[in-house]
Coordinates of all heavy atoms in Angstrom, one line a residue:
M1091 N 150.3 62.8 71.3 CA 150.7 63.3 72.7 C 149.6 63.0 73.7 O 148.5 63.4 73.5 CB 151.0 64.8 72.6 CG 151.4 65.3 73.9 SD 151.7 67.2 73.8 CE 153.2 67.1 72.9
P1092 N 149.9 62.3 74.8 CA 148.9 62.0 75.8 C 148.4 63.3 76.5 O 149.1 64.3 76.5 CB 149.7 61.2 76.9 CG 150.9 60.7 76.2 CD 151.2 61.7 75.1
Q1093 N 147.1 63.2 76.8 CA 146.5 64.3 77.5 C 146.8 64.5 78.9 O 147.0 63.4 79.6 CB 144.9 64.2 77.3 CG 144.2 65.4 77.8 CD 142.7 65.3 77.6 OE1 142.3 64.3 77.2 NE2 142.0 66.3 77.9
M1094 N 147.1 65.7 79.4 CA 147.5 65.9 80.8 C 146.2 65.6 81.6 O 145.1 65.9 81.2 CB 148.0 67.3 81.0 CG 149.4 67.5 80.5 SD 150.0 69.2 80.8 CE 149.1 70.0 82.0
S1095 N 146.4 65.1 82.8 CA 145.3 64.7 83.6 C 145.1 65.9 84.7 O 145.9 66.7 85.0 CB 145.6 63.4 84.4 OG 146.6 63.6 85.3
Y1096 N 143.9 65.8 85.3 CA 143.6 66.7 86.4 C 144.5 66.4 87.6 O 144.6 67.2 88.5 CB 142.1 66.6 86.8 CG 141.3 67.3 85.7 CD1 140.5 66.5 84.9 CD2 141.3 68.7 85.6 CE1 139.7 67.1 83.9 CE2 140.4 69.3 84.7 CZ 139.6 68.5 83.8 OH 138.9 69.2 82.9
R1097 N 145.0 65.2 87.7 CA 145.9 64.7 88.7 C 147.1 65.6 88.8 O 147.5 66.0 89.9 CB 146.4 63.3 88.4 CG 147.2 62.7 89.6 CD 147.6 61.3 89.3 NE 148.6 60.8 90.1 CZ 149.9 60.9 89.9 NH1 150.3 61.4 88.8 NH2 150.8 60.5 90.8
A1098 N 147.7 66.1 87.6 CA 148.8 66.9 87.7 C 148.4 68.3 88.3 O 149.2 68.9 89.0 CB 149.3 67.2 86.2
I1099 N 147.2 68.8 88.0 CA 146.7 70.1 88.5 C 146.7 69.9 90.0 O 147.0 70.8 90.8 CB 145.4 70.5 87.9 CG1 145.6 70.8 86.5 CG2 144.8 71.7 88.6 CD1 144.4 71.0 85.7
D1100 N 146.0 68.8 90.5 CA 145.9 68.5 91.9 C 147.3 68.5 92.6 O 147.5 69.0 93.7 CB 145.1 67.2 92.1 CG 143.7 67.3 91.8 OD1 143.1 68.5 91.7 OD2 143.0 66.3 91.6
Q1101 N 148.2 67.8 91.9 CA 149.6 67.7 92.5 C 150.2 69.1 92.6 O 150.9 69.4 93.6 CB 150.5 66.8 91.6 CG 150.2 65.4 91.7 CD 151.0 64.5 90.8 OE1 151.1 64.9 89.6 NE2 151.6 63.5 91.3
F1102 N 150.0 69.9 91.6 CA 150.6 71.2 91.6 C 150.0 72.1 92.7 O 150.6 72.9 93.5 CB 150.4 72.0 90.3 CG 151.1 73.3 90.2 CD1 152.5 73.4 90.4 CD2 150.5 74.5 90.0 CE1 153.2 74.6 90.3 CE2 151.1 75.7 89.9 CZ 152.5 75.8 90.1
Q1103 N 148.7 71.9 92.9 CA 147.9 72.6 94.1 C 148.5 72.1 95.4 O 148.7 72.9 96.4 CB 146.5 72.4 94.0 CG 145.8 73.2 92.9 CD 144.3 73.0 92.7 OE1 143.9 72.0 93.0 NE2 143.7 74.0 92.3
A1104 N 148.8 70.9 95.5 CA 149.4 70.3 96.7 C 150.8 70.9 96.9 O 151.1 71.3 98.1 CB 149.5 68.8 96.7
C1105 N 151.6 71.1 95.9 CA 152.9 71.7 96.0 C 152.8 73.1 96.5 O 153.5 73.6 97.3 CB 153.6 71.7 94.6 SG 154.1 70.0 94.1
L1106 N 151.8 73.9 96.0 CA 151.6 75.2 96.4 C 151.2 75.3 97.9 O 151.6 76.2 98.6 CB 150.5 75.9 95.5 CG 150.9 76.2 94.1 CD1 149.7 76.7 93.3 CD2 152.0 77.1 93.9
S1107 N 150.3 74.4 98.3 CA 149.9 74.4 99.6 C 151.2 74.1 100.6 O 151.3 74.7 101.6 CB 148.9 73.3 99.9 OG 147.7 73.6 99.3
L1108 N 151.9 73.2 100.2 CA 153.2 72.9 100.9 C 154.1 74.1 101.0 O 154.7 74.3 102.0 CB 153.9 71.7 100.4 CG 153.3 70.3 100.5 CD1 154.0 69.2 99.7 CD2 153.2 69.9 102.0
A1109 N 154.2 74.8 99.9 CA 155.1 75.9 99.8 C 154.7 77.1 100.7 O 155.4 77.9 101.1 CB 155.2 76.4 98.4
A1110 N 153.4 77.1 101.0 CA 152.9 78.2 101.9 C 153.3 78.1 103.3 O 153.5 79.0 104.0 CB 151.3 78.1 101.8
D1111 N 153.7 76.9 103.7 CA 154.3 76.6 105.0 C 155.9 76.6 104.9 O 156.4 75.7 104.3 CB 153.8 75.4 105.6 CG 154.2 75.0 107.0 OD1 155.0 75.8 107.5 OD2 153.8 74.0 107.5
L1112 N 156.5 77.6 105.5 CA 157.9 77.7 105.4 C 158.6 76.5 105.9 O 159.6 76.1 105.4 CB 158.4 79.0 106.2 CG 159.7 79.5 105.9 CD1 159.9 79.8 104.4 CD2 160.0 80.7 106.7
S1113 N 158.1 75.8 106.8 CA 158.8 74.7 107.4 C 158.7 73.4 106.5 O 159.4 72.4 106.7 CB 158.2 74.2 108.9 OG 156.8 73.9 108.6
R1114 N 157.9 73.5 105.5 CA 157.6 72.4 104.5 C 158.2 72.7 103.1 O 157.8 72.0 102.2 CB 156.2 72.0 104.5 CG 155.6 71.7 105.9 CD 154.3 71.2 105.8 NE 154.2 69.8 105.3 CZ 153.1 69.2 105.0 NH1 151.9 69.8 105.2 NH2 153.0 67.9 104.6
H1115 N 159.1 73.7 103.0 CA 159.6 74.1 101.7 C 160.4 72.9 101.1 O 160.3 72.7 99.9 CB 160.4 75.3 101.7 CG 159.6 76.5 101.5 ND1 160.2 77.6 100.9 CD2 158.4 76.9 101.8 CE1 159.2 78.6 100.8 NE2 158.1 78.1 101.3
A1116 N 161.1 72.2 101.8 CA 161.9 71.1 101.3 C 160.9 70.0 100.7 O 161.2 69.5 99.6 CB 162.8 70.5 102.4
E1117 N 159.9 69.7 101.4 CA 158.9 68.8 101.0 C 158.2 69.2 99.7 O 158.0 68.5 98.8 CB 157.9 68.6 102.1 CG 156.9 67.4 101.9 CD 155.9 67.3 103.0 OE1 156.2 67.8 104.1 OE2 155.0 66.6 102.9
A1118 N 157.9 70.6 99.7 CA 157.3 71.1 98.5 C 158.1 71.1 97.3 O 157.7 70.7 96.2 CB 156.9 72.6 98.9
K1119 N 159.4 71.4 97.5 CA 160.4 71.3 96.4 C 160.5 69.8 95.8 O 160.6 69.6 94.6 CB 161.8 71.9 96.7 CG 161.8 73.3 96.9 CD 163.2 73.8 97.2 CE 163.2 75.4 97.4 NZ 164.5 75.9 97.7
Q1120 N 160.6 68.9 96.8 CA 160.6 67.5 96.4 C 159.4 67.1 95.6 O 159.5 66.4 94.5 CB 160.8 66.6 97.6 CG 161.1 65.2 97.3 CD 161.3 64.4 98.6 OE1 161.0 64.8 99.6 NE2 161.8 63.2 98.4
A1121 N 158.2 67.5 96.1 CA 157.0 67.1 95.4 C 156.9 67.8 94.1 O 156.5 67.2 93.0 CB 155.8 67.6 96.2
F1122 N 157.3 69.1 93.9 CA 157.3 69.7 92.6 C 158.3 69.0 91.7 O 157.9 68.9 90.5 CB 157.6 71.2 92.8 CG 157.7 71.8 91.4 CD1 156.5 72.2 90.8 CD2 158.9 72.0 90.8 CE1 156.5 72.7 89.5 CE2 158.9 72.6 89.6 CZ 157.7 73.0 88.9
S1123 N 159.4 68.7 92.2 CA 160.5 68.0 91.3 C 159.8 66.7 90.8 O 160.0 66.4 89.5 CB 161.7 67.7 92.1 OG 162.7 67.1 91.3
K1124 N 159.2 66.0 91.6 CA 158.6 64.7 91.1 C 157.5 65.0 90.0 O 157.4 64.4 89.0 CB 157.9 64.0 92.3 CG 157.3 62.7 91.9 CD 156.6 62.0 93.1 CE 155.8 60.8 92.7 NZ 154.9 60.4 93.7
L1125 N 156.7 66.0 90.2 CA 155.6 66.4 89.3 C 156.3 66.9 88.0 O 155.9 66.4 86.9 CB 154.7 67.5 89.9 CG 153.7 68.2 88.9 CD1 152.8 67.2 88.3 CD2 153.1 69.3 89.6
H1126 N 157.3 67.7 88.2 CA 158.0 68.3 87.0 C 158.6 67.1 86.1 O 158.5 67.1 84.9 CB 159.1 69.2 87.4 CG 159.8 69.9 86.2 ND1 160.9 69.4 85.7 CD2 159.5 70.9 85.5 CE1 161.3 70.1 84.7 NE2 160.5 71.2 84.6
N1127 N 159.3 66.2 86.8 CA 159.8 65.0 86.0 C 158.8 64.2 85.3 O 159.1 63.7 84.2 CB 160.7 64.2 87.0 CG 161.9 64.9 87.5 OD1 162.4 65.9 86.8 ND2 162.4 64.5 88.6
E1128 N 157.6 64.0 86.0 CA 156.6 63.2 85.4 C 156.1 63.9 84.2 O 155.8 63.3 83.1 CB 155.4 63.0 86.3 CG 155.7 62.1 87.4 CD 154.6 62.0 88.5 OE1 153.5 62.6 88.3 OE2 154.8 61.4 89.6
L1129 N 155.9 65.2 84.2 CA 155.4 66.0 83.1 C 156.4 66.2 81.9 O 156.0 66.2 80.8 CB 154.9 67.3 83.5 CG 153.6 67.4 84.3 CD1 153.3 68.9 84.7 CD2 152.5 67.0 83.4
A1130 N 157.7 66.2 82.3 CA 158.7 66.6 81.3 C 158.8 65.6 80.2 O 159.1 65.9 79.0 CB 160.1 66.8 82.0
T1131 N 158.5 64.3 80.4 CA 158.6 63.3 79.4 C 157.5 63.4 78.3 O 157.9 63.6 77.1 CB 158.4 61.9 80.1 OG1 159.3 61.8 81.1 CG2 158.6 60.8 79.0
D1132 N 156.3 63.6 78.7 CA 155.2 63.7 77.8 C 154.9 65.1 77.4 O 154.2 65.3 76.3 CB 154.0 62.9 78.2 CG 154.3 61.4 78.4 OD1 155.0 60.9 77.6 OD2 153.7 60.8 79.3
H1133 N 155.0 66.0 78.2 CA 154.7 67.4 78.0 C 155.8 68.4 78.4 O 155.7 69.2 79.4 CB 153.4 67.7 78.9 CG 152.3 66.7 78.7 ND1 151.4 66.7 77.6 CD2 151.9 65.7 79.6 CE1 150.6 65.7 77.8 NE2 150.8 65.2 78.9
P1134 N 156.9 68.4 77.6 CA 158.0 69.3 78.0 C 157.6 70.7 78.1 O 158.1 71.5 78.9 CB 159.0 69.0 76.8 CG 158.3 68.3 75.8 CD 157.1 67.7 76.4
F1135 N 156.8 71.2 77.1 CA 156.4 72.6 77.2 C 155.6 73.0 78.5 O 155.9 74.0 79.1 CB 155.6 73.0 75.9 CG 155.2 74.5 75.9 CD1 156.1 75.4 75.6 CD2 154.0 74.9 76.1 CE1 155.9 76.8 75.6 CE2 153.6 76.3 76.2 CZ 154.6 77.2 75.8
A1136 N 154.7 72.1 78.8 CA 153.9 72.3 80.0 C 154.7 72.2 81.3 O 154.6 73.0 82.2 CB 152.8 71.3 80.1
A1137 N 155.8 71.3 81.3 CA 156.6 71.2 82.4 C 157.5 72.5 82.5 O 157.7 72.9 83.6 CB 157.6 70.0 82.2
Q1138 N 158.0 73.0 81.4 CA 158.7 74.3 81.4 C 157.9 75.4 82.0 O 158.4 76.2 82.8 CB 159.3 74.6 80.1 CG 160.3 75.7 80.0 CD 160.8 75.9 78.6 OE1 160.4 75.3 77.7 NE2 161.9 76.7 78.6
M1139 N 156.6 75.5 81.5 CA 155.7 76.6 81.9 C 155.5 76.5 83.5 O 155.4 77.5 84.1 CB 154.4 76.6 81.1 CG 154.7 77.0 79.7 SD 155.1 78.7 79.5 CE 153.7 79.5 79.9
L1140 N 155.2 75.2 83.9 CA 155.0 75.0 85.2 C 156.2 75.4 86.1 O 156.0 75.9 87.2 CB 154.6 73.5 85.4 CG 153.9 73.1 86.8 CD1 152.6 73.8 86.9 CD2 153.7 71.7 86.8
E1141 N 157.4 75.1 85.6 CA 158.5 75.4 86.4 C 158.7 77.0 86.5 O 159.1 77.5 87.6 CB 159.9 74.8 85.7 CG 161.1 75.1 86.5 CD 162.3 74.4 85.9 OE1 162.1 73.8 84.8 OE2 163.3 74.4 86.5
L1142 N 158.4 77.6 85.4 CA 158.5 79.1 85.5 C 157.5 79.6 86.6 O 157.8 80.5 87.4 CB 158.2 79.7 84.1 CG 159.2 79.6 83.0 CD1 158.6 80.0 81.7 CD2 160.4 80.4 83.4
A1143 N 156.2 79.1 86.6 CA 155.2 79.5 87.5 C 155.7 79.2 88.9 O 155.5 80.0 89.8 CB 153.9 78.8 87.2
W1144 N 156.3 78.0 89.1 CA 156.8 77.6 90.4 C 157.8 78.6 90.9 O 157.7 79.0 92.0 CB 157.3 76.2 90.3 CG 157.9 75.6 91.6 CD1 159.2 75.4 91.8 CD2 157.2 75.3 92.8 NE1 159.3 74.9 93.1 CE2 158.1 74.8 93.7 CE3 155.8 75.3 93.1 CZ2 157.8 74.3 94.9 CZ3 155.5 74.8 94.4 CH2 156.4 74.3 95.3
N1145 N 158.8 78.9 90.1 CA 159.8 79.7 90.5 C 159.3 81.1 90.8 O 159.8 81.7 91.8 CB 160.9 79.9 89.4 CG 161.7 78.6 89.3 OD1 161.9 77.8 90.2 ND2 162.2 78.4 88.1
E1146 N 158.3 81.6 90.1 CA 157.6 82.9 90.4 C 157.0 82.9 91.8 O 157.0 83.8 92.6 CB 156.7 83.4 89.3 CG 157.4 83.7 88.0 CD 158.4 84.9 88.3 OE1 158.0 85.9 88.9 OE2 159.5 84.9 87.7
V1147 N 156.3 81.7 92.1 CA 155.5 81.6 93.3 C 156.6 81.7 94.5 O 156.3 82.3 95.4 CB 154.7 80.3 93.3 CG1 154.3 79.9 94.7 CG2 153.6 80.4 92.4
L1148 N 157.7 80.9 94.3 CA 158.6 80.9 95.4 C 159.2 82.3 95.6 O 159.5 82.7 96.7 CB 159.7 79.8 95.1 CG 159.3 78.4 95.2 CD1 160.4 77.5 94.9 CD2 158.5 78.1 96.4
A1149 N 159.5 82.9 94.4 CA 160.1 84.3 94.6 C 159.2 85.3 95.2 O 159.5 86.1 96.1 CB 160.5 84.8 93.2
A1150 N 157.9 85.2 94.9 CA 156.8 86.0 95.6 C 156.8 85.7 97.0 O 156.5 86.6 97.9 CB 155.5 85.8 94.8
K1151 N 156.9 84.4 97.5 CA 156.8 84.1 98.8 C 157.9 84.7 99.5 O 157.8 85.1 100.7 CB 156.6 82.5 99.0 CG 155.2 82.0 98.5 CD 155.0 80.7 99.0 CE 153.6 80.2 98.6 NZ 152.5 81.0 99.1
R1152 N 159.1 84.5 99.0 CA 160.3 85.1 99.7 C 160.2 86.6 99.9 O 160.5 87.1 100.9 CB 161.5 84.7 98.8 CG 162.1 83.3 99.0 CD 163.4 83.2 98.4 NE 163.5 83.4 97.0 CZ 163.3 82.5 96.0 NH1 163.0 81.2 96.4 NH2 163.4 82.8 94.8
S1153 N 159.7 87.2 98.8 CA 159.5 88.7 98.9 C 158.5 89.1 99.9 O 158.7 90.0 100.7 CB 159.1 89.2 97.5 OG 158.9 90.6 97.5
A1154 N 157.4 88.3 100.0 CA 156.3 88.6 101.0 C 156.9 88.4 102.3 O 156.7 89.2 103.2 CB 155.1 87.7 100.7
G1155 N 157.7 87.4 102.5 CA 158.3 87.1 103.8 C 159.3 88.2 104.2 O 159.3 88.7 105.4
F1156 N 160.0 88.7 103.3 CA 161.0 89.8 103.5 C 160.2 91.0 104.0 O 160.5 91.6 105.0 CB 161.8 90.1 102.3 CG 162.6 91.3 102.4 CD1 163.8 91.4 103.1 CD2 162.2 92.5 101.8 CE1 164.6 92.5 103.2 CE2 162.9 93.6 101.8 CZ 164.1 93.7 102.6
W1157 N 159.2 91.4 103.2 CA 158.4 92.6 103.5 C 157.7 92.5 104.9 O 157.5 93.5 105.6 CB 157.6 93.1 102.4 CG 158.3 93.6 101.3 CD1 158.6 93.0 100.1 CD2 159.1 94.8 101.3 NE1 159.5 93.8 99.3 CE2 159.8 94.9 100.0 CE3 159.3 95.8 102.3 CZ2 160.6 96.0 99.8 CZ3 160.2 96.9 101.9 CH2 160.8 96.9 100.7
E1158 N 157.3 91.3 105.2 CA 156.6 91.1 106.5 C 157.5 91.3 107.6 O 157.2 91.9 108.7 CB 156.0 89.7 106.5 CG 155.2 89.4 107.8 CD 154.6 88.0 107.8 OE1 154.8 87.2 106.9 OE2 153.9 87.7 108.8
R1159 N 158.8 90.8 107.5 CA 159.8 91.0 108.5 C 160.2 92.5 108.7 O 160.3 93.0 109.8 CB 161.1 90.2 108.2 CG 160.9 88.7 108.4 CD 162.2 87.9 108.3 NE 162.8 88.0 107.1 CZ 162.6 87.3 106.0 NH1 161.6 86.4 106.0 NH2 163.2 87.4 104.9
I1160 N 160.3 93.2 107.5 CA 160.5 94.6 107.6 C 159.4 95.4 108.3 O 159.6 96.2 109.1 CB 160.7 95.2 106.1 CG1 162.0 94.7 105.4 CG2 160.7 96.7 106.1 CD1 163.3 95.1 106.1
S1161 N 158.2 95.0 107.9 CA 157.0 95.6 108.5 C 156.9 95.4 110.1 O 156.6 96.3 110.8 CB 155.7 95.1 107.9 OG 154.6 95.6 108.5
N1162 N 157.3 94.2 110.5 CA 157.3 93.8 111.8 C 158.3 94.7 112.6 O 158.1 95.2 113.7 CB 157.5 92.3 112.1 CG 156.3 91.5 111.7 OD1 155.2 92.0 111.6 ND2 156.5 90.2 111.4
A1163 N 159.5 94.8 112.0 CA 160.6 95.6 112.6 C 160.2 97.1 112.7 O 160.4 97.7 113.7 CB 161.9 95.5 111.8
E1164 N 159.6 97.5 111.7 CA 159.1 98.9 111.7 C 158.0 99.1 112.8 O 158.0 100.1 113.5 CB 158.5 99.3 110.3 CG 158.2 100.7 110.1 CD 157.7 101.0 108.7 OE1 156.8 100.4 108.3 OE2 158.4 102.0 108.1
R1165 N 157.1 98.2 112.9 CA 156.1 98.3 113.9 C 156.7 98.3 115.3 O 156.3 99.1 116.1 CB 155.1 97.2 113.8 CG 153.9 97.3 114.8 CD 152.9 96.2 114.7 NE 153.5 94.9 115.0 CZ 153.6 93.9 114.2 NH1 153.0 93.9 113.1 NH2 154.2 92.7 114.6
Q1166 N 157.6 97.4 115.6 CA 158.3 97.4 116.9 C 159.0 98.7 117.2 O 158.9 99.2 118.3 CB 159.4 96.3 116.9 CG 158.8 94.9 117.3 CD 160.0 93.9 117.4 OE1 160.9 94.0 116.6 NE2 159.8 93.1 118.4
M1167 N 159.7 99.3 116.2 CA 160.4 100.5 116.3 C 159.4 101.6 116.7 O 159.6 102.5 117.6 CB 161.3 100.9 115.1 CG 162.5 100.1 115.0 SD 163.5 100.4 113.5 CE 163.1 102.0 113.1
T1168 N 158.3 101.7 116.0 CA 157.2 102.7 116.2 C 156.7 102.6 117.6 O 156.4 103.5 118.3 CB 156.1 102.5 115.2 OG1 156.7 102.6 113.9 CG2 155.0 103.5 115.4
E1169 N 156.4 101.3 118.1 CA 155.8 101.1 119.4 C 156.8 101.6 120.4 O 156.5 102.1 121.5 CB 155.5 99.6 119.5 CG 154.3 99.2 118.8 CD 154.0 97.7 118.8 OE1 154.9 96.9 119.4 OE2 153.0 97.3 118.2
Q1170 N 158.1 101.3 120.2 CA 159.2 101.7 121.2 C 159.3 103.1 121.2 O 159.4 103.8 122.3 CB 160.5 101.1 120.8 CG 160.6 99.5 121.1 CD 161.9 98.9 120.5 OE1 162.6 99.6 119.9 NE2 162.1 97.6 120.9
M1171 N 159.2 103.9 120.1 CA 159.3 105.3 120.0 C 158.0 105.9 120.8 O 158.2 106.9 121.4 CB 159.3 105.8 118.6 CG 160.7 105.5 117.9 SD 160.7 106.1 116.2 CE 160.0 107.6 116.2
A1172 N 156.9 105.4 120.5 CA 155.7 105.9 121.2 C 155.8 105.7 122.7 O 155.5 106.6 123.5 CB 154.5 105.1 120.6
A1173 N 156.3 104.5 123.1 CA 156.4 104.3 124.6 C 157.5 105.3 125.2 O 157.3 105.8 126.3 CB 156.9 102.9 124.9
S1174 N 158.6 105.5 124.4 CA 159.6 106.5 124.9 C 159.0 107.9 124.9 O 159.3 108.6 125.9 CB 160.8 106.5 124.0 OG 161.5 105.3 124.0
H1175 N 158.2 108.2 123.9 CA 157.5 109.6 123.9 C 156.7 109.7 125.2 O 156.7 110.8 125.8 CB 156.8 109.8 122.7 CG 156.1 111.1 122.5 ND1 156.9 112.3 122.3 CD2 154.9 111.5 122.6 CE1 156.1 113.3 122.3 NE2 154.8 112.8 122.4
V1176 N 155.9 108.8 125.4 CA 154.9 108.8 126.6 C 155.8 109.0 127.9 O 155.5 109.8 128.8 CB 154.0 107.6 126.7 CG1 153.4 107.4 128.1 CG2 153.1 107.6 125.5
Q1177 N 156.9 108.2 128.0 CA 157.7 108.2 129.2 C 158.4 109.7 129.3 O 158.4 110.2 130.4 CB 158.8 107.2 129.1 CG 159.8 107.1 130.3 CD 159.0 106.7 131.5 OE1 158.2 105.7 131.4 NE2 159.1 107.3 132.7
L1178 N 158.8 110.2 128.2 CA 159.3 111.5 128.3 C 158.4 112.6 128.7 O 158.7 113.5 129.5 CB 159.9 111.9 126.9 CG 161.2 111.3 126.5 CD1 161.5 111.6 125.0 CD2 162.4 111.9 127.3
Q1179 N 157.1 112.5 128.2 CA 156.0 113.3 128.6 C 155.8 113.3 130.1 O 155.6 114.3 130.7 CB 154.8 113.1 127.8 CG 154.8 113.6 126.4 CD 153.4 113.4 125.7 OE1 152.8 112.3 126.0 NE2 153.0 114.2 124.9
Q1180 N 155.7 112.0 130.6 CA 155.5 111.8 132.0 C 156.6 112.5 132.9 O 156.4 113.1 133.9 CB 155.3 110.4 132.3 CG 154.0 109.8 131.8 CD 153.9 108.3 132.0 OE1 154.9 107.6 132.2 NE2 152.8 107.7 131.8
N1181 N 157.9 112.2 132.4 CA 159.0 112.8 133.1 C 158.9 114.3 133.1 O 159.2 115.0 134.1 CB 160.3 112.3 132.5 CG 160.6 110.8 132.8 OD1 159.9 110.2 133.6 ND2 161.5 110.3 132.0
Y1182 N 158.6 114.9 132.0 CA 158.5 116.3 131.9 C 157.4 116.9 132.9 O 157.7 117.9 133.6 CB 158.2 116.7 130.5 CG 158.0 118.2 130.2 CD1 159.1 119.1 130.2 CD2 156.7 118.7 130.1 CE1 158.8 120.5 130.1 CE2 156.5 120.1 130.0 CZ 157.6 121.0 130.0 OH 157.4 122.3 129.9
L1183 N 156.3 116.2 132.8 CA 155.1 116.7 133.8 C 155.6 116.5 135.2 O 155.3 117.4 136.1 CB 153.9 115.8 133.5 CG 153.2 116.1 132.2 CD1 152.0 115.2 132.1 CD2 152.7 117.6 132.2
R1184 N 156.3 115.5 135.6 CA 156.8 115.3 137.0 C 157.8 116.4 137.3 O 157.8 117.0 138.4 CB 157.5 114.0 137.1 CG 156.5 112.9 137.6 CD 157.2 111.7 138.1 NE 156.6 110.6 137.4 CZ 157.1 109.8 136.4 NH1 158.4 110.0 136.0 NH2 156.5 108.9 135.8
L1185 N 158.7 116.7 136.4 CA 159.7 117.8 136.6 C 159.0 119.2 136.8 O 159.4 119.9 137.7 CB 160.6 117.8 135.4 CG 161.8 118.9 135.4 CD1 162.7 118.6 136.6 CD2 162.5 118.9 134.1
I1186 N 158.0 119.4 136.0 CA 157.2 120.7 136.1 C 156.5 120.8 137.4 O 156.5 121.8 138.1 CB 156.2 120.8 134.9 CG1 156.9 121.0 133.6 CG2 155.3 122.0 135.2 CD1 157.8 122.3 133.5
Q1187 N 155.9 119.7 137.9 CA 155.2 119.7 139.1 C 156.2 119.8 140.3 O 155.8 120.4 141.3 CB 154.4 118.3 139.3 CG 153.2 118.3 138.4 CD 152.6 116.8 138.5 OE1 153.1 115.9 139.1 NE2 151.4 116.7 137.9
E1188 N 157.4 119.3 140.3 CA 158.4 119.5 141.3 C 158.9 120.9 141.5 O 159.3 121.2 142.5 CB 159.5 118.5 141.1 CG 159.1 117.0 141.3 CD 160.2 116.1 140.9 OE1 161.4 116.6 140.6 OE2 160.1 114.9 141.0
Q1189 N 158.8 121.6 140.4 CA 159.4 123.0 140.5 C 158.5 124.0 141.1 O 157.5 124.3 141.4 CB 159.7 123.6 139.1 CG 160.9 122.8 138.5 CD 161.2 123.4 137.1 OE1 160.5 124.2 136.5 NE2 162.3 122.9 136.6

């Protein structure tokens, strides 16, 4: 069985770098598919393990993106509530001063 090269590791790292950028996911998937196909012939077990790792990385990135969007929405709501609260306080103070 031929020995796997460091080139495969470098290629996988490149795939991970591409996957980090949402706009380059299609390119990342294509690069990973090419790497997977190259490994599958001589190293089927390694290719299978790499595919499992790849799928976990993509799932983690999707999850992180989801929670980031939730966090941003929550932050916006909090900021709006704080601004509304300040406005209500100011309105109350004006009302008290007018009486």
